[in-house]
Amino acid sequence: MTDSATGATEADARLHRLLGGDDVAWLVRRARDRLETGRSLSGTVTLADATARQRRAVERLTGRPARSGVSLSVSLPELDRIVRESGAAADGLAEAVTRLTGPLRDLNRDRADTAAAWAAAVGPLDDAVAGRAELAAWRVWLDTTGTVRRLASSPDVALALLEQVAAVLRRLPSRGTPIGRLAAECCGDAHALDDGRPVGTLALSASRALAGRPFAGDGGADSRRAAWAAVGVHCDDLSSLVLCHGLAGDGRTALGRVLALQREAGQPAVLTLRQLRCHDEPLRAAGPVRVCENPVVVAAAADELGASCQPLLCVGGQPSAAGWRLLDLLAAGGAEFRYHGDFDWGGIRIAEAVRTRISGRGARWHSWHYDRDAYEALAAALTTAHPLARLPQSPGEPVGTPWDPALATAMARHGVRIEEELTLDTLLADLAELRGNRWRRRPDAARRSSASRR
């Protein structure tokens, strides 16, 4: 007796005998791949390194010997005809694949939906980065390296992750925030920015970008601490330091007494963020505060000017959280600042960051032998002194110099990097003249200063 149920059973059995075996499963998979990606069942499919069993299974299926060789090819139109003529599937190979392996997916639509979900996931990050040129290259780097997709298993996970990263970025640079507090306020988890956590990994690389450093870093604890400090976030308030010399201090506060003692001794002071955070009053400076980029300037000033040196602060590259705090305290005290740094694009970025911060506090910022005339004179002197030498080139992308637009033009034209150490004599003479002194390098100081630069 044959009824619809029995007929269906016989058709299913016939189909499984024809295409249900393990040795022809590869044929079904190839046909399904074609159907799910919107391609037609035309042409041939080939299996490299086919086994003897697979070759015999195709010979039984097609009724003729397989060609010699290590690969095995089957015509899909021929396979469709065989399925139809066998009565296993009236609608041919497409029906057979669906009955054997289940409903087909639309892989093209799935891919489009997944791409749309990932695009939506990075939306919060793109909003936070928009208009911030210093983060543009970092944003491209994230896509190029696939960092986000390595850290997030799906678009939904990525969306939650990047919303937190975006919240952190909106707070950077900071005025001196503990990392645990920043994490708690932005992510609801005081440990979200810890080493190895996904949010921490992405936010740390963004901090390096903001500081003009390599996005990946070297992975060490010191590098991580320095990168956070460069954007005003401290992992603890004792490791963030700032170097200064000749600040007047006072006799009333703990910080003031430290500064006064060090000035009297003619020695530089190394201040922790903790000391600076515990000081709530503005700091008064006796005269303009000179700001340099490199510690060697402070060392030379201490060697050769001692207690007679005018107020001098070293940002040590991108200012640490302690550095920003000291600048803020001096700005609140009405200090007028004079800035000098390396004549390279990294140095220009640091100078602009300091200028923007100080100006935003209502304080006056001026360059200190850090303009086009100074650069041109140094570049000419270097070229004359080393006509055959290969002079160091300024690395990085050019940036503007709003305090003297001609400086950026000159630096781009010459392309020569001039480190701050090459201007020591000019800077020291200037510091001495501020006191009404006539500066002449002392022989013993010259030896100490030379040693400090090595």
Side-chain angles (χ1 to χ4, degrees):
M1 177 178 178
T2 60
D3 55 24
S4 59
T6 304
T9 300
E10 291 176 353
D12 287 343
R14 191 176 297 117
L15 178 60
H16 277 278
R17 286 195 300 270
L18 192 68
L19 291 175
D22 291 340
D23 295 326
V24 292
W26 69 275
L27 270 175
V28 177
R29 286 196 301 272
R30 297 290 182 85
R32 184 179 180 91
D33 289 343
R34 295 242 181 150
L35 293 168
E36 289 187 328
T37 54
R39 293 177 291 167
S40 64
L41 296 176
S42 59
T44 61
V45 290
T46 301
L47 177 66
D49 299 323
T51 66
R53 290 172 58 90
Q54 289 169 328
R55 299 178 71 83
R56 287 195 297 272
V58 168
E59 289 174 350
R60 289 194 297 270
L61 181 64
T62 61
R64 64 172 180 274
R67 293 180 180 179
S68 60
V70 294
S71 64
L72 179 61
S73 296
V74 176
S75 165
L76 290 178
E78 180 184 6
L79 183 58
D80 180 75
R81 177 186 59 76
I82 291 170
V83 171
R84 292 175 188 273
E85 292 177 353
S86 71
D91 290 331
L93 183 56
E95 177 193 342
V97 168
T98 302
R99 283 168 51 194
L100 286 170
T101 61
L104 297 172
R105 296 177 299 162
D106 186 341
L107 291 183
N108 290 331
R109 186 180 62 191
D110 289 350
R111 292 190 185 104
D113 290 345
T114 299
W118 276 107
V122 300
L125 182 64
D126 287 337
D127 290 343
V129 170
R132 303 180 70 174
E134 67 274 22
L135 288 173
W138 171 77
R139 178 64 186 86
V140 173
W141 175 80
L142 286 183
D143 286 343
T144 302
T145 59
T147 301
V148 173
R149 297 202 184 204
R150 287 201 304 272
L151 295 172
S153 57
S154 69
D156 289 342
V157 174
L159 176 60
L161 168 63
L162 295 179
E163 283 178 340
Q164 294 182 354
V165 174
V168 173
L169 290 185
R170 292 189 181 96
R171 295 276 298 275
L172 299 180
S174 166
R175 295 185 180 182
T177 306
I179 193 169
R181 179 177 178 181
L182 181 66
E185 292 176 352
C186 293
C187 311
D189 177 358
H191 296 284
L193 296 176
D194 286 358
D195 188 24
R197 296 284 294 272
V199 180
T201 298
L202 293 175
L204 178 60
S205 65
S207 297
R208 291 190 172 110
L210 289 170
R213 303 181 180 202
F215 307 150
D218 62 15
D222 289 343
S223 172
R224 177 175 176 271
R225 188 161 40 243
W228 280 120
V231 292
V233 176
H234 58 89
C235 298
D236 61 75
D237 56 8
L238 294 176
S239 61
S240 182
L241 307 172
V242 62
L243 175 66
C244 59
H245 183 51
L247 293 182
D250 58 61
R252 299 176 298 99
T253 65
L255 178 61
R257 289 192 293 272
V258 168
L259 292 173
L261 181 62
Q262 292 297 95
R263 184 188 186 196
E264 182 181 353
Q267 293 297 328
V270 178
L271 305 176
T272 68
L273 179 60
R274 183 180 184 85
Q275 289 172 291
L276 294 162
R277 290 179 64 210
C278 291
H279 185 88
D280 296 326
E281 300 180 17
L283 282 175
R284 307 291 177 182
V289 176
R290 303 284 157 158
V291 182
C292 62
E293 184 180 340
N294 298 282
V296 68
V297 180
V298 178
D303 285 344
E304 303 187 23
L305 299 177
S308 68
C309 184
Q310 276 285 301
L312 182 62
L313 186 157
C314 177
V315 294
Q318 190 73 26
S320 64
W324 288 125
R325 175 66 176 169
L326 182 54
L327 286 166
D328 287 347
L329 290 172
L330 289 166
E336 182 178 328
F337 296 89
R338 300 284 188 272
Y339 188 92
H340 190 278
D342 290 334
F343 282 107
D344 59 24
W345 299 120
I348 295 297
R349 287 185 175 88
I350 295 169
E352 177 58 12
V354 174
R355 187 187 75 88
T356 300
R357 177 75 164 245
I358 288 172
S359 300
R361 301 295 185 273
R364 288 182 293 173
W365 184 101
H366 303 281
S367 67
W368 178 30
H369 300 294
Y370 201 55
D371 52 23
R372 181 194 62 181
D373 292 344
Y375 177 78
E376 293 275 18
L378 288 164
L382 274 176
T383 304
T384 300
H386 307 282
L388 300 179
R390 180 176 176 80
L391 298 175
Q393 301 298 295
S394 182
E397 291 295 320
V399 292
T401 50
W403 64 92
D404 182 5
L407 171 59
T409 303
M411 288 178 61
R413 183 172 67 253
H414 290 289
V416 176
R417 177 189 184 194
I418 301 175
E419 295 178 324
E420 195 170 32
E421 288 83 346
L422 294 176
T423 65
L424 271 179
D425 287 353
T426 299
L427 300 182
L428 293 174
D430 201 10
L431 287 168
E433 288 173 6
L434 289 171
R435 283 281 187 182
N437 298 330
R438 215 177 144 168
W439 176 69
R440 185 177 63 187
R441 175 166 293 200
R442 301 197 307 268
D444 59 333
R447 287 193 296 273
R448 289 196 300 274
S449 180
S450 177
S452 72
R453 292 195 293 272
R454 286 197 293 267

